[in-house]
Amino acid sequence: MRKHRQTRKADLRALPAVDAVLRGATGQRAAAQFGRARATAAIRATLAALRAAPPRNLPNAENVAASSLAALEQAEISTLRPVFNLTGTILHTNLGRAVLAEAAVAAATGAMRGAVALEYDLADGGRGERDDHLRALLRELTGAEDATIVNNNAAAVLLVLNTFAAGRDAVVSRGELIEIGGAFRMPEIMARAGARLREVGTTNRTHVKDYAAAIGPNTGLVLKVHTSNYRVEGFTAEVPARDLAALAHKRKTLLAHDLGSGTLADLTRFGLAHEPTVAEAVRDGADLVTFSGDKLLGGPQAGFIVGKRAAIARINRNPMKRALRVDKIRLAAIEATLRLYRDPDRLAELLPTLKFLARPAAEIEAAARRLLPLVALPGYSVAIVPCKSQIGSGALPVETVASAALSIRGEALDRLAARLRALPVPVIGRIERRALLLDLRCLDDEAAFVANLALLSSA
Ligand SMILES: *Cc1c(COP(=O)(O)O)cnc(C)c1O
């Protein structure tokens, strides 16, 4: 026992001193890269770990410096980092939804670098409003009288309900009391907004007479929700927005229409099913229409409320609006994104979300054929298979688009998936019927993908 302790003591005395480690070439590099204080702290931590569990052979000063430098570099890697989204879901909520257009990136960068006329009227030098920058554009693109922008569509719905139905009834069809991923449940949002939920109709069928019977002196608004993430099929009936708007107006209340994703473009142009456009919802007579910024619209996270001037003015007087507003960076990105919609012919070229959506399967398959010979995974077989991409984020829920994937088969696919996730730019695919599928629909930079894959560890 005593003898053992003595050897241990002798061993530890052989450990290099902090100063000696720092003076070496690698120690100097660590100090230059991360600052003297952090380099010193990292070396101390490495030495402390060695003292706590001494290895058989103690490392020299350079080894200690190298371990410390590696730890510093590891700590520098962000967990919020770019990935290759090869899941086949174009708007993947967990992967940040829409990829922004270059124009939006440039606009956001510009807004970040300096002061901007955010709430400043450049014409008269007086105070302006942050919504002013987007009002005209949103009016032009949706046909609405006015518009306001908040943090996301959940916030838009919350704000609309709180403004018009706090302490009053919000009339909504049972078939539209939806839950959206990430714990957004319509009844709960209503409660938080202070609105009393007045459910009408049944799960599969709701008629005008159901709404008519529910509207009364306590009605704050009628809410129509686009059931964006599921579809009821069979014996169903819902009241069209146009009829609901007419009823609401006859009964002196208003109609709010939550479109969820909503879109500003006619998706049938891109070979997709029809998704209600914001302009259509406005034309159908809703007083307020709410929709998302980062779903099919292809912009940053945001919530839009467009509609009648008087209704938007009331929303803007709600103090809650202040808590939900967006910053200059996002406003700049939104403006640049919206501008692209002025030329629908070039949308699929300039807006990544639509570019990915509209990419023909044959083109994706051609990419797969280019990549196949470059993707070598020892121990695994790789083939090209047809597959289906989905839009995601609750937009066009049952709609899929034909795509192509690299299909990887072999033992321990979970381990391979983990190795792909551990790459400098993590590659995220999906496992389907005992194959790891890399759906190439959203792959933009093939060369970067190949270079990244070459770094796959053998572990
Ligand atoms: C997605 C969605 C929302 C929430 O929008 P976010 O922008 O994600 O906050 C609200 N309503 C419907 C119908 C939706 O599909």
Side-chain angles (χ1 to χ4, degrees):
M1 191 67 199
R2 164 172 296 216
K3 187 156 180 266
H4 177 73
R5 231 186 228 154
Q6 273 170 352
T7 47
R8 217 178 218 203
K9 245 183 196 156
D11 275 351
L12 289 178
R13 269 203 304 274
L15 269 178
V18 175
D19 271 352
V21 177
L22 201 54
R23 270 198 309 273
T26 308
Q28 289 295 297
R29 229 175 75 217
Q33 213 172 318
F34 295 96
R36 211 182 156 75
R38 277 191 71 198
T40 307
I43 292 165
R44 279 195 214 289
T46 306
L47 290 171
L50 287 167
R51 260 182 231 111
R56 198 178 293 274
N57 300 310
L58 284 183
N60 63 21
E62 268 306 292
N63 297 147
V64 171
S67 305
S68 308
L69 181 58
L72 285 166
E73 278 167 348
Q74 187 60 37
E76 212 57 11
I77 299 173
S78 171
T79 47
L80 178 64
R81 67 187 200 268
V83 301
F84 284 106
N85 172 13
L86 305 188
T87 59
T89 300
I90 298 162
L91 296 168
H92 200 301
T93 297
N94 305 136
L95 300 180
R97 290 195 183 161
V99 172
L100 268 62
E102 279 308 319
V105 174
T109 308
M112 282 192 275
R113 286 235 164 81
V116 296
L118 180 62
E119 293 184 348
Y120 187 82
D121 188 330
L122 290 171
D124 66 13
R127 192 172 150 43
E129 262 186 63
R130 64 180 65 208
D131 284 346
D132 284 347
H133 307 286
L134 298 177
R135 261 202 179 100
L137 201 46
L138 281 165
R139 286 210 312 248
E140 173 191 325
L141 295 170
T142 68
E145 290 175 10
D146 204 353
T148 186
I149 304 105
V150 288
N151 180 56
N152 57 12
N153 190 32
V157 173
L158 178 72
L159 187 57
V160 165
L161 287 167
N162 181 262
T163 305
F164 295 95
R168 312 186 67 185
D169 291 350
V171 179
V172 61
S173 163
R174 281 209 165 82
E176 297 175 2
L177 289 172
I178 56 171
E179 173 182 303
I180 295 149
F184 176 94
R185 290 175 145 189
M186 210 38 101
E188 286 166 15
I189 290 285
M190 287 202 174
R192 287 300 166 130
R196 270 195 309 268
L197 170 60
R198 184 79 161 81
E199 297 173 50
V200 300
T202 60
T203 307
N204 57 330
R205 290 172 72 83
T206 304
H207 308 279
V208 175
K209 63 174 195 281
D210 298 324
Y211 286 100
I215 298 174
N218 287 326
T219 301
L221 56 66
V222 178
L223 177 68
K224 183 166 181 61
V225 185
H226 180 49
T227 52
S228 54
N229 56 0
Y230 78 111
R231 186 186 285 172
V232 181
E233 288 188 33
F235 187 56
T236 65
E238 69 168 305
V239 180
R242 183 177 290 269
D243 300 348
L244 211 47
L247 173 69
H249 296 154
K250 198 171 95 193
R251 302 287 296 274
K252 302 275 178 279
T253 185
L254 47 81
L255 173 69
H257 192 171
D258 177 26
L259 282 185
S261 174
T263 170
L264 296 172
D266 175 9
L267 295 184
T268 57
R269 283 175 69 108
F270 307 103
L272 296 161
H274 180 78
E275 174 80 1
T277 69
V278 180
E280 283 164 6
V282 169
R283 222 181 300 135
D284 281 343
D287 298 85
L288 294 164
V289 178
T290 53
F291 55 102
S292 255
D294 55 356
K295 293 188 182 173
L296 283 169
L297 197 140
Q301 179 187 299
F304 297 91
I305 311 173
V306 303
K308 303 276 164 62
R309 193 169 289 115
I312 298 288
R314 258 185 80 179
I315 286 170
N316 282 327
R317 286 197 297 273
N318 185 339
M320 206 183 253
K321 164 75 196 294
R322 171 66 176 75
L324 303 173
R325 73 183 188 189
V326 295
D327 66 304
K328 62 172 182 174
I329 305 167
R330 272 198 282 162
L331 279 176
I334 294 166
E335 183 185 18
T337 306
L338 291 178
R339 274 185 203 284
L340 299 177
Y341 280 88
R342 285 178 157 164
D343 184 2
D345 295 335
R346 292 186 64 201
L347 261 184
E349 182 191 325
L350 300 175
L351 197 66
T353 299
L354 282 184
K355 182 174 78 183
F356 295 150
L357 253 174
R359 195 174 265 177
E363 204 181 281
I364 301 167
E365 204 194 308
R369 277 199 301 270
R370 282 192 297 277
L371 289 170
L372 186 64
L374 305 173
V375 174
L377 297 167
Y380 295 91
S381 69
V382 188
I384 299 169
V385 298
C387 69
K388 302 258 187 237
S389 311
Q390 58 180 29
I391 296 163
S393 290
L396 297 169
V398 286
E399 189 86 358
T400 54
V401 264
S403 187
L406 294 176
S407 165
I408 306 167
R409 287 178 182 276
E411 294 299 309
L413 278 183
D414 285 334
R415 236 191 40 232
L416 178 65
R419 282 166 58 203
L420 289 169
R421 288 196 305 273
L423 281 165
V425 184
V427 172
I428 323 268
R430 69 176 193 270
I431 291 181
E432 200 175 281
R433 277 177 283 142
R434 299 183 45 211
L436 176 58
L437 295 187
L438 304 180
D439 184 329
L440 301 176
R441 173 169 295 279
C442 298
L443 179 62
D444 231 358
D445 189 341
E446 290 172 27
F449 173 72
V450 171
N452 181 56
L453 213 57
L455 303 173
L456 197 71
S457 73
S458 49

